[in-house]
Amino acid sequence: MDMIRGEFVDIIEWLDDSRTTLAWRFPRYENEIKNGAELIVREGQQAVFVYRGQLADKYGPGHYTLTTENMPIMSTLQGWRHGFDSPFRSEVYFVNTRPVTDMRWGTPQPVTVRDPDFRMVQIRANGTAVVKVVDTEKFLKQVIGTDSVVDMDEITELLRSNVTTAFSDMVLASGLGAIDLQGRQVELSGRLREFVAQRVTGYGLDIDAVTMTISLPEEIQQAMTRGVARGVEAGGFMNNVDLNRYQQMQAADAMVVAAGNPGGGMGAAMQAGMGVVLGGQMANAMQGGLAPQQSAPAATQSSAPPPLPSQQSFHFDNGGQPAGPYTIEQLRQFVAGGQLSRETNVWTEGMPGWAAASTVAVLQTLFAAPPPLPGIPPPLPPTP
């Protein structure tokens, strides 16, 4: 019946009612097409003739009557000089050139990012991509092959692997930390599209747009939430001082959880005393000074004494390079060795900038002259 019907009329067209089919081969009885056949190519389509594995004529949207005049490549391949006799054999592929908007991607494994605040952080990303065929010849050779139908599902894994690799390269090229990546993910989506487009162009594809959502580890999100809630000052999010404060809060919370654990071996008195001590430590950590300690039960004071206050440390200018931090006792050794003098610039937390060591009150004792030994009179003043 197909052969008999083909003797009377031959209309080649593709009625596509889906948005995910990328290519479709027109079914013909023994691939025979008659002289004067009608070819209908709709908007968002492109028709490609293939003769014995060789690409022949291509047609964009329009209505065509297949004759020698509008089939120049096919005429050359089959040696038609003055027209052709019906029928002739050829494969006809329709390619969908409309954008496909529902391609989802995600990183199967986390990507490690060097972060200035949290050192090494593993992040994940996911989103969507808008894909379309821009070069039917490359797409036919690299993707379609001999398939009669090519659906979006067949190339989804190929695209996802390319997007994932492009995301890793983009993160490395940006040089941004995890917090900055999440804060600028809308801007970085455009850069990710460029990285992906470079990889899929060999398949005849293009990426019109990419959306991206970056996910941070749960512990990092908790750190951000807790830091804001407890008043931790943020530059990008945490500087080195703030990170120390966050670590103090982490240790304090762990001790509170241990105190509240019935199987942890702590009695009611220990729990109450620990709460008082932690309260003083938290106030000292958040305010940068010593908070007044409330009196604790005797059992608490004997079994869980508060930690010693941390010593103040300084950085100093060592030949144009910052050295430190060093405690005051360590700085005394540098003074004795001649590496630190009154004019050497120093800095510590809380100072607005570098200043000479002799102008810092707590360091002035480092340069004080020792008193004379007993029994030895002080030196006479110089003679005028």
Side-chain angles (χ1 to χ4, degrees):
M1 292 300 298
D2 291 338
M3 181 178 64
I4 296 174
R5 189 180 299 111
E7 292 297 326
F8 294 96
V9 63
D10 205 345
I11 299 178
I12 305 173
E13 61 181 344
W14 180 30
L15 298 175
D16 179 29
D17 56 357
S18 71
R19 299 284 298 183
T20 59
T21 303
L22 297 179
W24 177 76
R25 183 173 62 195
F26 183 77
R28 289 295 302 145
Y29 177 76
E30 294 185 354
N31 297 326
E32 293 183 347
I33 300 175
K34 64 185 299 183
N35 184 13
E38 301 294 323
L39 172 65
I40 301 175
V41 184
R42 289 172 172 79
E43 291 293 334
Q45 298 178 355
Q46 190 169 35
V48 181
F49 282 74
V50 178
Y51 176 70
R52 293 183 178 178
Q54 298 186 53
L55 271 68
D57 301 282
K58 296 186 294 184
Y59 299 88
H63 187 181
Y64 307 89
T65 300
L66 300 180
T67 61
T68 306
E69 287 75 14
N70 57 20
M71 302 186 71
I73 301 179
M74 184 67 72
S75 300
T76 302
L77 292 177
Q78 299 208 28
W80 300 335
R81 297 182 179 179
H82 307 290
F84 62 94
D85 296 329
S86 178
F88 70 94
R89 291 187 176 184
S90 177
E91 296 177 336
V92 182
Y93 287 89
F94 284 88
V95 180
N96 180 9
T97 58
R98 294 174 299 177
V100 180
T101 60
D102 58 350
M103 205 284 288
R104 299 183 178 274
W105 65 274
T107 52
Q109 301 295 331
V111 178
T112 303
V113 178
R114 186 182 300 276
D115 187 85
D117 299 316
F118 298 101
R119 307 300 183 260
M120 307 302 290
V121 180
Q122 290 187 325
I123 64 174
R124 293 181 179 271
N126 59 76
T128 60
V130 180
V131 186
K132 70 176 182 179
V133 180
V134 293
D135 191 326
T136 55
E137 183 173 349
K138 289 183 179 179
F139 187 73
L140 186 65
K141 291 180 179 179
Q142 301 296 330
V143 180
I144 299 177
T146 59
D147 294 345
S148 59
V149 177
V150 176
D151 196 80
M152 189 63 192
D153 293 338
E154 297 185 35
I155 65 170
T156 296
E157 290 304 319
L158 171 67
L159 292 173
R160 284 176 179 170
S161 62
N162 279 277
V163 175
T164 301
T165 306
F167 174 76
S168 301
D169 293 345
M170 186 271 295
V171 169
L172 181 63
S174 68
L176 298 175
I179 306 299
D180 292 331
L181 285 172
Q182 189 180 55
R184 299 170 57 182
Q185 54 191 355
V186 176
E187 171 192 346
L188 295 174
S189 295
R191 297 186 61 183
L192 178 59
R193 190 207 69 80
E194 297 175 0
F195 275 81
V196 179
Q198 296 174 2
R199 286 166 171 76
V200 301
T201 183
Y203 301 102
L205 301 172
D206 189 25
I207 304 295
D208 278 0
V210 176
T211 63
M212 176 178 61
T213 301
I214 297 177
S215 302
L216 300 178
E218 185 66 23
E219 57 270 20
I220 301 298
Q221 296 181 8
Q222 292 179 0
M224 296 172 61
T225 303
R226 292 160 57 83
V228 174
R230 297 189 180 188
V232 176
E233 299 178 355
F237 168 64
M238 284 184 173
N239 52 32
N240 292 333
V241 177
D242 295 329
L243 183 58
N244 293 333
R245 294 180 181 176
Y246 169 68
Q247 293 172 346
Q248 293 173 359
M249 289 187 288
Q250 287 280 69
D253 288 342
M255 295 173 69
V256 171
V257 172
N261 184 3
M266 287 190 176
M270 177 67 75
Q271 297 178 21
M274 189 66 70
V276 173
V277 174
L278 292 177
Q281 293 178 1
M282 291 302 301
N284 183 36
M286 298 307 299
Q287 297 175 7
L290 294 176
Q293 299 289 331
Q294 299 179 2
S295 61
T300 302
Q301 295 177 354
S302 60
S303 58
L308 294 175
S310 59
Q311 298 185 12
Q312 189 176 16
S313 58
F314 287 81
H315 298 264
F316 72 89
D317 182 3
N318 185 16
Q321 297 293 330
Y326 298 107
T327 64
I328 295 179
E329 289 302 320
Q330 292 173 323
L331 293 179
R332 192 182 304 279
Q333 300 176 6
F334 288 108
V335 172
Q339 297 173 281
L340 181 65
S341 65
R342 294 174 176 269
E343 291 75 20
T344 303
N345 288 326
V346 298
W347 179 87
T348 187
E349 177 191 355
M351 293 179 57
W354 293 82
S358 60
T359 63
V360 181
V362 296
L363 300 182
Q364 291 177 356
T365 57
L366 299 178
F367 309 103
L373 295 174
I376 299 178
L380 295 176
T383 303

